[in-house]
Amino acid sequence: MKNNQFARLTVDHKTVVNELKAIHFYDDQSIGVTSPTEVYQLLLRKAFLTTKEEGSFTNKLKNYLATPSLDLKDYCASKKPVTTEIFYLVALQLLEFLVTEDFAIDHPVEAMHQMQLPTVETKGNWHKDQLLDAWYLLLTTHTKNGQTFLDRLTNQGYFIPFYDLPAREKPLFFNGKAQAVFDPAKLVREVVYVESSVDSDCDGQLDLLKVEILRPSDTEHGLSVPALFTASPYNQGINHEAGSRAMHDVNVPLQAKKANRLTYQDIAYRKEKHSLPAPRPVAGETRHAAETFSRERSYTLNDYFLVRGFAAVYAAGIGTLDSDGVQTCGDPQQTEATKNVIEWLNGKRRAFTNRTDNIAISAWWCNGWVAMTGRSYLGTLATAAATTGVEGLKTIISEAAISSWYDYYREGGLVIAPGGFPGEDADVLAIETQSRMKAPADYILRVKDFFTKQMDQMARGMDRESGNYTPFWDARNYRKSINKIKCDVLMIHGLNDWNVKPGQVEALWQGLRSVPVSKKIILHQGQHIYINAFRSIDYTDMINLWISHELYGVQNGAKEVLPDVIVQDNLIPETWTAYSDWSNPHSDKTVFHLSPGTLTEGCGSNSIQSFKDDLPIDDFKRYTEHIDQWENELISNQKQALHANRLIFKSAPFEKAQIVNGKVAIHVKTASSQPFGMLSFQLIDFGEEKRLNPSPTPIQRMELGCNWREDTLREFTLAKFPTPFKMITKGHLNLQNRENPWKVNELMPNQFYTFEIKLQPTFHKLAAGHQLGLIIYATDFAMTVRGNQAVRYSIDLSDCHLDVPFQ
C-alpha cells in the first residue's frame, strides 16, 4: 500500500499543543505529567474508546506489540522510555496494518517510509514534546482503510462528548479541517420552495423550486453555517422507461450536408427578450418550514461534511417533482434557476413554505457562503452557476462536469453518443429528468402539452440530422462565460471517462488560465466515477481543507498547500503525483510522420493507403450487439473482420518511459469515395503490461461519522493478466466540418483535403519498451452513427503527421 496525503499540514509545536488541547487529547492530567512514557499511556487510554474500565484497557494493550518480544501492556508497566521504533511499531498497528502481512516487525520505521506514512524521528529516547508532535502527526495520518486515525476514532465516538458544546464554540478545526462535533441524530430536515426568476413552462408564474435542506441543530441556537449545494436533476427520481422509449436509432447512414458559409456570428445564441411574471405577493413570514422529508438522495461527500458543520442543500430544479417548469437540458433557464437557489442561501432571494400560501422563509441559518458539489450533471450545473458570477458562491467542486453540451452529444459535425449510451441525446435526457411525470395529476393536467411541444422544439434545435453546432448548442456552452467566474474552482475528472470526456474539463482549465481565481485539478485513472472513497489518496481531507478555508475563512493555507495539478499514475497502483500544469498549450511537440505501419520521427512516406468502412452484415450486427468485441478487434494485430477497415501505425519501442501530457494533434490529408465522410482516430499504448482494472475494486464499507452514514472504500488494482495494448485517447470529425463545427464544406468524391484534428487531452505514461500507436478508421461503433455504408477512404501519407506533447 502507498499513502498519498496532500492535505496534511505541517505545524509548529505550539500549534500541536493548542490543537491537542482543543480536541481534549492533551488535558490537565497530561499537562501535569512529565514522563513521556506516562503521557504516552494517557494518550493511548483516550484512543481506546471502547474500553470503559482500566481492566478492559489493560487487556486491550495485550493485543499490541511494543517490541518484537514485548506487548504494549508489559511495556507500559515497565516504564521503559519511548523510542522511534516503539512508537511506530505501535502506530502501524493502530493504523490497522497487519504484522508480517503489511510490514516487517523488526523494521517499523522502514515500513512507514515504504508506505509513505509520515514520521517524527530522533535518536535515543523521546522527550515529551517529541511525543506530542508524533501523536499529533499520527492523528492526521491515514490508516490502512482510507481515513485518518482521528477519523477512525471519530467513527468510534471520540467526538460524542463535543456534541453538547455551546454553538459559539463550534465548528471545531484540527490540522486546518472541520471535525465531526455535530450530532447526526439531531439534524434539521426541511423543505422550502425558492421562487426563481424563470417561467420555463410559460404558465404566467415564476417557477417555484423545491429545495431539501439538512442542517445541524446548532443552527437553532445561534450558529450560522455555510451550505454545500448539490443541484441534481436526478434528485427527485428519473423516468427511465420514458427515456428508453425516446432513445434514437444510431444504425442510420451518414448523410451528405449542404455546404454553407456560416460564421460564428450567424449561429451565436442571442437571448430572447420577454417580460417575466411579477413575483408572488407575500402573505406572511416565518422561520420554520412547513414540510420535511425522511431521506434525501444524498451525495456521500455531503454526508461526510454534514456532521462537521456544513448544511447540505439539494435541489432538482425546473421540471422536477414538486417543482414548477419543464426540463431544458442545460439551457440558460436551468442555469438561472440553479443560480437562484444560491441567491436564496445568500439572502438575495425569497422562498416559501409551500407552493400556495405565499408564506416567505429565509435561509436565516446560513452564513451566506456556498460551495457547489457533485459529479456529472451535478458538476455541470455547478460549472454553469459559476459562470454567472453569482454572489455567495465561494467555490465549486465539479467532478466529471460538462462545460459545453455540444461536446457531450456532438463532435466535429458528428452526432456522438456519450460512452455507454448510444442513441441518447439532449431531448432524451430532458425526458428522463422531467420527474413531474411522477405526479400524474400535476403533469397531465398542467404541463404535459407544453412539455411535448418543448421536446419537438428541442429536437429541431439540437439538429440531430446534421450534427452541426447551432444556436441550441451555443446556448448550452458555458465556456463563453468563463471570464465571469468569481469563485475558486476545484475540478476532478477521469482520464478514461468516455461519458463526459476529458476535453470538457481541459477546456475549462484552459479558459481559467486568465481568470483571477484559484484553480486546482485532480486527474484520476477512472471512468465516470467519483473518488471521495479511494484508499490511496486523501481526497476527503483535501476537500475539507479547501472548504474549511473557502466557507469558514480558516487560514489553513489550502490554496498554497494543495498542488495545482494531481495525477494518478496509470502504471503503478496507488501512486498520485503533483505537477505544476496540465496540457500546457505552449509545450514542445514531438513530430511523428506516417509511413505504412510506422510512426517515425524521420521522413514519412509518399504512398497512399486506403481502407473501407462497410462490413458483412453478420459482422456488422455482431459489433452493434457487442461493442466490446469491436473495441478489442479494432486494435488487435490478429487478422479479423476489421483488418481492412482501419490503418494502424506504430512507433519504435521507447528506450525510456514517456509521458503524453495534453492534446495530441493529427495533420491529415484524406479523400472519401462519397460526397460525405467521417474519420475517427485512436492513440494506442502498445506493449504487454499488467494494467489497472477499468473499474476500482471495492475494499470494505467506510463510516462517515459515528452512527452515521457509510460509503464503500475502493481502489484501483492491477489486472491479474497482462494485456497487449490500451487505448489512450480518441477523436472524430465529419469531413465536411473540417474548418469548424458550424461551417459545412463541400466534399468532392476522391478529392484530397487536408485538416488538423486534436484528440481528447490526456496524461498517460508509456512504459519503456512500449510503442505509441495511431489507428485511423471511420465508424466508431461505440459513439458515431453506424450506417454500414460503402465508403472508401484514402490517406496521403506524404502530408500526414502526429504532434505529441511529451512531458
Side-chain angles (χ1 to χ4, degrees), residues 284-524:
E285 296 183 4
T286 184
R287 285 169 59 94
H288 302 288
E291 187 177 332
T292 187
F293 56 96
S294 58
R295 176 63 194 265
E296 79 290 1
R297 293 176 183 262
S298 64
Y299 177 44
T300 55
L301 188 69
N302 294 352
D303 290 342
Y304 178 84
F305 287 108
L306 262 172
V307 291
R308 287 165 170 80
F310 301 82
V313 177
Y314 296 92
I318 51 176
T320 60
L321 183 66
D322 293 333
S323 292
D324 296 333
V326 293
Q327 261 290 357
T328 58
C329 194
D331 85 335
Q333 292 183 100
Q334 189 175 41
T335 298
E336 182 68 17
T338 304
K339 167 189 162 186
N340 294 157
V341 176
I342 299 169
E343 291 174 327
W344 175 71
L345 291 167
N346 189 239
K348 303 295 192 300
R349 183 166 291 276
R350 64 189 179 192
F352 298 98
T353 56
N354 60 44
R355 294 169 65 176
T356 56
D357 293 341
N358 294 350
I359 303 299
I361 183 169
S362 66
W364 52 268
W365 47 266
C366 183
N367 70 1
W369 288 358
V370 181
M372 289 192 72
T373 62
R375 175 180 62 89
S376 195
Y377 207 156
L378 291 60
T380 299
L381 292 179
T383 301
T387 61
T388 68
V390 58
E391 187 178 346
L393 182 61
K394 297 290 289 183
T395 186
I396 62 170
I397 303 161
S398 63
E399 304 178 59
I402 295 168
S403 58
S404 169
W405 284 89
Y406 180 84
D407 290 349
Y408 185 65
Y409 287 122
R410 306 286 186 270
E411 183 180 351
L414 290 171
V415 173
I416 296 287
F421 299 94
E424 188 187 299
D425 215 323
D427 56 348
V428 177
L429 187 57
I431 290 168
E432 285 206 346
T433 53
Q434 178 72 20
S435 54
R436 284 184 75 176
M437 290 183 184
K438 294 184 175 295
D442 177 46
Y443 178 67
I444 294 172
L445 300 180
R446 299 180 183 92
V447 79
K448 180 181 178 181
D449 290 344
F450 181 86
F451 184 63
T452 301
K453 293 177 182 177
Q454 173 93 352
M455 288 302 96
D456 291 340
Q457 182 179 343
M458 184 175 285
R460 291 191 297 272
M462 68 190 195
D463 191 10
R464 190 172 175 87
E465 287 71 27
S466 78
N468 291 344
Y469 187 91
T470 64
F472 175 92
W473 298 111
D474 198 51
R476 292 161 172 81
N477 183 357
Y478 309 128
R479 298 172 197 161
K480 300 185 305 176
S481 300
I482 286 177
N483 63 343
K484 296 180 183 177
I485 293 178
K486 297 178 182 177
C487 66
D488 294 330
V489 181
L490 178 55
M491 297 158 275
I492 302 93
H493 214 99
L495 290 164
N496 294 293
D497 188 345
W498 299 107
N499 182 326
V500 179
K501 295 180 279 293
Q504 297 277 2
V505 73
E506 194 265 354
L508 182 60
W509 178 253
Q510 299 295 357
L512 285 168
R513 288 184 184 275
S514 60
V515 179
V517 299
S518 292
K519 44 268 187 185
K520 312 283 183 181
I521 190 166
I522 302 171
L523 300 170
H524 59 82

Side-chain angles (χ1 to χ4, degrees), residues 128 190 219 316 318 494 496 528 547 694 696 788:
K128 182 176 178 180
E190 57 190 359
T219 53
I318 51 176
N496 294 293
H528 198 58
I547 63 174
N788 203 30

Side-chain angles (χ1 to χ4, degrees), residues 98 104 110 117 124 162 203 217 235 256 280 291 352 365 383 413 473 544 574 628 665 681 697 733 743:
L98 300 178
E110 181 179 327
L117 301 169
F162 291 71
D203 66 350
S217 61
N235 185 259
R280 290 165 176 77
E291 187 177 332
F352 298 98
W365 47 266
T383 301
W473 298 111
N544 197 336
E574 302 179 334
D628 59 329
F681 305 86
T697 301
L733 182 72
K743 182 179 179 181

Side-chain angles (χ1 to χ4, degrees), residues 45 51-62 73:
R45 181 69 187 90
T51 60
K52 305 298 182 183
E53 299 176 346
E54 285 304 312
S56 297
F57 171 59
T58 301
N59 283 324
K60 291 292 183 183
L61 293 181
K62 292 181 180 180
K73 170 187 172 295

